Amino acid sequence: MSHLESSTPIVRCEVDFTKRTEYHEGLEAIRAAHKLLAEATFTPSLPDKGYTNRTLYVNVGTREIMEKPVTRQMKDIFLGGRGFGLWYLWNAVTPATRWNDPENEIIIGPGPVSGTTQYAGSGKSLVVTLSPQTDIPVDSNVGGYFGPLLKFSGFDALELQGKADQDVILFIDGRKGVIRIEAAPMEPVDSHVLAEVLTRMYAENDEDRVNISVVSTGAGAEHSLIGMLNFSWWDPRRGCVRLKQAGRGGIGTVFRDKRIRALVCRGPVVKGGLNNPVDPETIAKTGIKFHKEMRTNDDSQCKMRRNGTAHIVEIMDAYDLLPTHNFQYGSHPDTHKIASPVWQARCTQETVDGCWYGCSMACAKGADGLVLKTGPYKGHMVTVDGPEYENAAGLGSNGGVFDPDYLLELNFYCDTYGVCTITWGTLTAFVMECYQRGILNLERTGGLDLTWGNAEADLEMMHQMARGEGFGLIAGQGIHKMKAIFAEKGWGDPQLMADIGMECKGLEYSQYMSKESLAQQGGYALTNKGPQHDEAWLIFMDMVNKQLPTFEDKAEALYYFPLFRTWFGLNGFCKLPWNDVVPSDNATTSEPAKVPEHVQNYVDVFNATTGLKIDKDELIRQSAKVYNFQRIFNIRMGKGLRSFDIPPYRSVGPVTREEYASRSERYDKQMLEEIGVDPAGKSMDEKIAITREYRMKRYNSLVDAVYLRRGWTPNGVPTLARIQELGLDVFPEVVEIVKNHGG
Amino acid sequence: MRQLRIDMTKCNYGRDCNHECEADCATKVFKVDDPALAALHIRDHGDGTGHAILCDQCGDCVVVCPAEALKRNKLGVVMINKKLCVGCYMCIGFCEKEAFERNPDWVEPYKCTACGICVKACPHAALEIVEVPEPAARII
């Protein structure tokens, strides 16, 4: 995309970092209150060809600490990262297990390529658990240093199980080979404080801080189902701890339910080549080639290095795709107040903003010098991670908040309270629309005036949740449960709430308005974990570039891209360097949407790390094994069938009269040309009904085509033939589930 | 800020600068045994001509280095702290002058430190050390 002018002036944010509020007083007292509950030793080891060939199991309830070998089968079928997470979770739970049962696990796995310093975006970890929101496995990818440092300490994954009887910290010292479970009675709760305190506590000196990473959550996760995890790293230029989030599905809620206060890993000094790849020369050459591309192309294509992902706010608005007022509309006259020039001024430039070494895309922007106006940290000066696009849209336009300082404050409190920004943005938009339509009112919200754009009420709702009181507690249950609560109280029409509550499978939508992209509707609702843009983001390919004209074209895209993107999560890659900045000649290739040169980069870096010899087709097959396994896992847990792949109608078409009216010319034209019905003389309600029938029929035809392409039955069950083709028939329970559901 | 400059009208591509750098700077300063890896690189044009690749000490690499391994010394020369370098090669990718060299046998790249040994070696006085103002940091 080249929608921003390269001549955009550089606006610099002048901030005196020395005035940032710091939180290391009383550190010795906090440390002194620690009590050792369990300790184990291990021999630190570096990976060989990307794998350490062992994982770490910790039960915080029984205090068992154990090493497990990584089997050949695990590598062949599950590869790493998300794959290892799903495999361990499958073995840990039964169909009856719920998120807050002790046997539920949180698995953190970086993947074989994770930790590579030469190729951009190679520092990701994948976190897997049974979600409190969806009751099925959720996977969330996250930057920060914990995953790579865990692997360079000696473990390909960390499995957390059980429930502690008091707040604990798990400390993994990858230098000394010591693992400790410590009681942590005096630790602060919220992440921006806790991560700073623990980084200083566990670093042996100032230089050692960069070798420490902390995983934590905050007060919001304690009283909601939408908690997330923060993965930290020490930013030496800013002199503070930075945070990246494993946001989706309520993983932070599971973390606190286990009474884990934090995980701390102290890894070795990072150097190039710690993965011990078989061919470091290829990795170095591929990485340097990418760095040069970033130097040459970023400024004219995306400006990721200046704005991060928030550079697309105005682009989404221009294409009528920016979710506004709970996904009713796709643009707003005030969008310029939260567009990229604002963030360019607000985020500190001239510094390095990668969330792992060697990421020349450097999108982890930092907004320094925010002085908070509300909440327990009122008056503090803090650094906020972002905003990313999802935050700018979710916390901003979707709820009608166009004040950048309030948007940053919402972003900050989501982060430090340990709450998913995407989820909070979407559920707040739902609540605000309910308020607008009389489903909620001042009495029902306990005095919160949740009109569009009321950021102070939005923040107060979040503070209430963090305090465990008021309407905030209800909001923190997420949209799926709120709809049931509101219906039970008789507050609104259940059908209307089902239509406008933007969740599928229990997970809130991320921030794209999909009404005019059938492929994106499928990209959201046909996901394994719930609607999330990291699986299939096809809006531009489908709607803007018109590259997917037929059902078969869309089905092919909904086959390939979810599998391609799954592969990132198996290996520890970030998706963004794949297609946000592309080679100069990419448009002339046969499949520009796939960015063929970058696909080959991934094949090359993977082969050079592991010594395997895959090609771009085997890459897809590797992903298909895990993707289909996850689908069957969902079926095992009682979901995963066609009836769970139905989107709320708001994501498909206009629910209300005002929505139809906002684009009546477009909808009338579509009715005449696509549906073959003359809208003349028809009432708006009739036109809404005709449009709805057509669009849902079209959506169901898409589902048929996608299931067929994926090798699934019309009910969404992977067929036995597909399972055998992928080698998943070695697991008897998988075969049994498939057979029992007509596969 | 110290900077090495070359007057191409005086340079006859004799490569004395490069040879002296190989013998002295590369071997003694950077402890590199391979003489082909001189810190002052020569780009051979393939037609009997070529030119020296000089580091302007512009500081672009300092901005992009994620490990704080590149910093200016008191003379304004950009130096690499090998202890901090993580071998990501962003300095190589972002250096428009291609002044960095990578030794496949070790992770840290290296570059000219404007030590001046090449200036003394040039029989045509094509090279000189100059003092110039330090440029403002820029967004790269």
Side-chain angles (χ1 to χ4, degrees):
Chain A
M1 291 178 284
S2 306
H3 299 94
L4 292 177
E5 294 299 321
S6 59
S7 59
T8 303
I10 298 166
V11 186
R12 291 185 163 84
C13 174
E14 303 291 346
V15 175
D16 182 355
F17 299 143
T18 62
K19 292 181 180 171
R20 182 190 292 110
T21 307
E22 294 188 322
Y23 303 96
H24 43 85
E25 283 182 15
L27 195 136
E28 286 310 315
I30 296 170
R31 189 202 310 263
H34 278 211
K35 182 183 169 192
L36 183 64
L37 301 177
E39 184 173 85
T41 59
F42 70 102
T43 305
S45 67
L46 289 172
D48 175 38
K49 303 187 200 62
Y51 291 97
T52 66
N53 294 309
R54 61 178 168 167
T55 61
L56 176 63
Y57 170 87
V58 177
N59 189 312
V60 294
T62 63
R63 299 173 190 169
E64 181 185 9
I65 301 171
M66 182 175 69
E67 292 180 20
K68 288 183 178 179
V70 171
T71 64
R72 185 73 255 169
Q73 185 183 63
M74 282 174 68
K75 288 194 205 177
D76 288 346
I77 296 180
F78 299 102
L79 211 63
R82 173 172 157 190
F84 280 12
L86 288 164
W87 174 237
Y88 278 136
L89 188 64
W90 175 282
N91 290 312
V93 304
T94 72
T97 303
R98 291 296 166 257
W99 70 272
N100 52 357
D101 288 329
E103 63 262 36
N104 188 19
E105 291 194 341
I106 298 171
I107 303 105
I108 300 172
V113 183
S114 183
T116 302
T117 59
Q118 286 91 7
Y119 199 79
S122 305
K124 288 280 189 171
S125 306
L126 265 290
V127 192
V128 175
T129 193
L130 275 188
S131 161
Q133 291 191 268
T134 66
D135 300 317
I136 54 177
V138 67
D139 56 274
S140 204
N141 76 73
V142 57
Y145 287 10
F146 187 86
L149 293 182
L150 173 75
K151 187 164 72 164
F152 296 148
S153 296
F155 300 108
D156 288 334
L158 168 64
E159 252 182 303
L160 297 164
Q161 200 175 35
K163 279 192 192 190
D165 56 4
Q166 58 191 308
D167 280 4
V168 298
I169 286 173
L170 176 69
F171 175 51
I172 302 163
D173 190 330
R175 301 263 198 92
K176 295 179 177 169
V178 175
I179 298 163
R180 293 203 299 264
I181 301 175
E182 299 174 3
M186 285 180 60
E187 253 66 4
V189 175
D190 296 325
S191 273
H192 80 292
V193 186
L194 182 57
E196 182 169 324
V197 163
L198 295 181
T199 298
R200 290 172 188 271
M201 185 185 294
Y202 287 96
E204 297 202 339
N205 50 50
D206 292 354
E207 288 71 37
D208 196 29
R209 287 177 194 163
V210 78
N211 305 312
I212 301 282
S213 180
V214 178
V215 178
S216 63
T217 183
E222 305 213 3
H223 305 292
S224 76
L225 299 180
I226 61 173
M228 61 75 170
L229 294 180
N230 288 296
F231 283 47
S232 80
W233 79 97
W234 179 256
D235 183 336
R237 281 185 170 84
R238 289 183 170 89
C240 70
V241 163
R242 306 281 302 282
L243 303 171
K244 275 290 172 189
Q245 295 77 34
R248 306 312 319 270
I251 302 170
T253 301
V254 180
F255 194 80
R256 283 304 294 143
D257 184 64
K258 294 185 177 303
R259 297 201 66 177
I260 302 171
R261 178 59 75 200
L263 313 173
V264 183
C265 185
R266 176 173 181 253
V269 175
V270 174
K271 289 282 175 188
L274 290 190
N275 270 326
N276 285 315
V278 295
D279 180 7
E281 187 69 14
T282 292
I283 294 174
K285 283 181 178 172
T286 312
I288 291 169
K289 182 181 71 166
F290 184 86
H291 294 330
K292 287 180 178 174
E293 252 178 57
M294 284 300 305
R295 181 189 77 194
T296 308
N297 295 344
D298 178 54
D299 201 45
S300 62
Q301 291 186 9
C302 272
K303 286 190 170 61
M304 288 287 274
R305 291 179 56 79
R306 287 188 194 172
N307 301 323
T309 57
H311 76 273
I312 61 171
V313 170
E314 58 266 39
I315 298 171
M316 292 299 115
D317 185 86
Y319 283 101
D320 201 20
L321 298 173
L322 184 73
T324 306
H325 294 179
N326 194 30
F327 297 88
Q328 291 182 86
Y329 315 112
S331 63
H332 194 281
D334 288 338
T335 297
H336 65 95
K337 294 177 183 173
I338 58 168
S340 63
V342 175
W343 305 123
Q344 211 171 100
R346 203 61 196 76
C347 293
T348 305
Q349 306 288 344
E350 298 171 1
T351 189
V352 182
D353 262 324
C355 64
W356 176 246
Y357 299 107
C359 187
S360 40
M361 186 161 264
C363 73
K365 304 312 297 178
D368 293 291
L370 179 72
V371 179
L372 299 164
K373 297 172 185 161
T374 70
Y377 305 104
K378 183 177 179 178
H380 291 206
M381 180 189 272
V382 296
T383 288
V384 188
D385 171 38
E388 301 175 59
Y389 165 74
E390 293 290 332
N391 304 344
L395 303 172
S397 59
N398 216 0
V401 174
F402 292 98
D403 179 313
D405 277 349
Y406 270 119
L407 197 157
L408 280 176
E409 183 150 341
L410 284 160
N411 198 154
F412 167 80
Y413 272 113
C414 275
D415 287 354
T416 201
Y417 283 158
V419 170
C420 173
T421 48
I422 293 174
T423 303
W424 185 260
T426 300
L427 76 81
T428 301
F430 169 70
V431 164
M432 286 180 164
E433 187 172 352
C434 287
Y435 193 88
Q436 174 194 307
R437 297 188 183 283
I439 297 168
L440 295 174
N441 53 38
L442 276 177
E443 184 186 351
R444 291 169 182 175
T445 63
L448 295 175
D449 175 20
L450 290 159
T451 47
W452 297 120
N454 190 343
E456 290 188 354
D458 189 347
L459 279 160
E460 178 53 26
M461 184 165 72
M462 198 187 305
H463 296 319
Q464 285 182 2
M465 180 181 62
R467 295 194 299 264
E469 63 184 41
F471 188 76
L473 268 180
I474 296 172
Q477 300 299 297
I479 292 174
H480 186 75
K481 292 189 170 57
M482 269 195 286
K483 286 189 296 192
I485 293 168
F486 297 171
E488 189 182 320
K489 291 177 182 288
W491 287 355
D493 174 9
Q495 182 60 54
L496 176 66
M497 289 190 286
D499 285 347
I500 67 173
M502 287 291 281
E503 58 89 11
C504 182
K505 302 180 178 74
L507 190 70
E508 282 74 5
Y509 273 67
S510 67
Q511 310 301 336
Y512 296 96
M513 238 268 300
S514 58
K515 287 190 183 83
E516 300 311 315
S517 169
L518 177 59
Q520 184 58 48
Q521 292 160 26
Y524 270 138
L526 298 175
T527 49
N528 273 326
K529 71 178 168 209
Q532 164 77 358
H533 55 289
D534 71 352
E535 184 159 317
W537 189 84
L538 300 172
I539 278 189
F540 261 69
M541 204 177 165
D542 187 34
M543 192 190 109
V544 179
N545 298 330
K546 312 286 185 196
Q547 292 167 310
L548 307 171
T550 68
F551 282 111
E552 288 69 28
D553 293 330
K554 295 180 206 304
E556 182 59 32
L558 284 166
Y559 172 78
Y560 177 84
F561 287 102
L563 293 181
F564 182 69
R565 286 171 171 240
T566 292
W567 195 80
F568 292 134
L570 304 180
N571 283 285
F573 278 119
C574 172
K575 164 265 162 190
L576 295 173
W578 161 48
N579 68 345
D580 277 55
V581 173
V582 299
S584 302
D585 64 351
N586 187 59
T588 65
T589 61
S590 58
E591 295 181 295
K594 293 181 180 175
V595 197
E597 184 178 321
H598 286 182
V599 173
Q600 190 58 44
N601 286 353
Y602 290 114
V603 168
D604 291 343
V605 172
F606 175 83
N607 287 344
T609 301
T610 62
L612 298 174
K613 302 287 181 201
I614 69 163
D615 58 16
K616 61 181 183 178
D617 298 322
E618 177 60 19
L619 180 157
I620 295 299
R621 185 178 145 78
Q622 287 179 328
S623 296
K625 295 176 189 177
V626 177
Y627 194 85
N628 281 273
F629 181 81
Q630 189 168 352
R631 179 75 177 184
I632 295 161
F633 201 158
N634 286 354
I635 298 170
R636 184 191 189 216
M637 300 308 294
K639 291 192 174 177
L641 304 175
R642 186 173 185 133
S643 59
F644 296 96
D645 288 346
I646 304 301
Y649 185 62
R650 172 64 54 79
S651 83
V652 178
V655 175
T656 62
R657 292 178 184 180
E658 53 266 41
E659 268 177 282
Y660 194 99
S662 72
R663 299 185 187 84
S664 57
E665 194 177 332
R666 180 193 300 173
Y667 293 139
D668 283 354
K669 186 167 182 281
Q670 288 173 352
M671 192 176 299
L672 188 64
E673 294 177 358
E674 291 180 31
I675 308 176
V677 174
D678 187 351
K682 294 204 161 33
S683 72
M684 188 169 282
D685 286 343
E686 285 174 316
K687 291 194 287 188
I688 290 171
I690 291 166
T691 300
R692 181 171 187 147
E693 184 185 356
Y694 169 74
R695 289 189 174 217
M696 285 311 296
K697 187 179 173 188
R698 194 177 60 165
Y699 175 80
N700 276 306
S701 297
L702 175 76
V703 176
D704 289 337
V706 173
Y707 284 178
L708 185 67
R709 179 64 185 90
R710 289 182 180 180
W712 296 357
T713 70
N715 196 24
V717 182
T719 62
L720 189 58
R722 181 67 170 144
I723 295 311
Q724 289 166 337
E725 180 193 352
L726 295 171
L728 293 175
D729 56 330
V730 296
F731 304 117
E733 194 182 355
V734 167
V735 174
E736 187 186 343
I737 291 168
V738 165
K739 282 183 176 173
N740 287 347
H741 288 83
Chain B
M1 165 185 119
R2 176 181 280 198
Q3 200 179 63
L4 186 61
R5 285 197 178 158
I6 188 166
D7 181 346
M8 288 304 291
T9 63
K10 295 179 181 175
C11 174
N12 73 344
Y13 193 47
R15 301 187 65 153
D16 294 282
C17 54
N18 183 233
H19 295 147
E20 197 60 30
C21 182
E22 288 170 358
D24 192 285
C25 198
T27 308
K28 293 177 185 168
V29 178
F30 297 104
K31 315 291 184 196
V32 182
D33 293 333
D34 184 350
L37 294 170
L40 188 146
H41 318 306
I42 297 292
R43 175 67 44 81
D44 194 324
H45 295 169
D47 59 358
T49 65
H51 68 278
I53 299 173
L54 304 183
C55 171
D56 285 346
Q57 318 298 341
C58 69
D60 282 3
C61 54
V62 176
V63 176
V64 299
C65 176
E68 294 233 284
L70 288 158
K71 282 190 176 164
R72 291 186 188 281
N73 66 13
K74 60 186 178 185
L75 299 173
V77 175
V78 176
M79 305 291 286
I80 301 175
N81 182 340
K82 291 172 66 171
K83 194 177 153 194
L84 294 178
C85 176
V86 297
C88 70
Y89 305 135
M90 276 166 60
C91 51
I92 299 177
F94 280 81
C95 176
E96 295 187 9
K97 299 293 288 283
E98 300 190 335
F100 284 84
E101 189 66 66
R102 188 177 67 83
N103 183 336
D105 294 334
W106 42 296
V107 293
E108 304 88 358
Y110 61 101
K111 62 178 280 296
C112 168
T113 59
C115 69
I117 192 82
C118 53
V119 175
K120 292 178 190 166
C122 179
H124 311 289
L127 287 155
E128 64 174 336
I129 296 283
V130 296
E131 285 293 326
V132 296
E134 198 170 299
R138 65 190 184 109
I139 301 167
I140 308 163

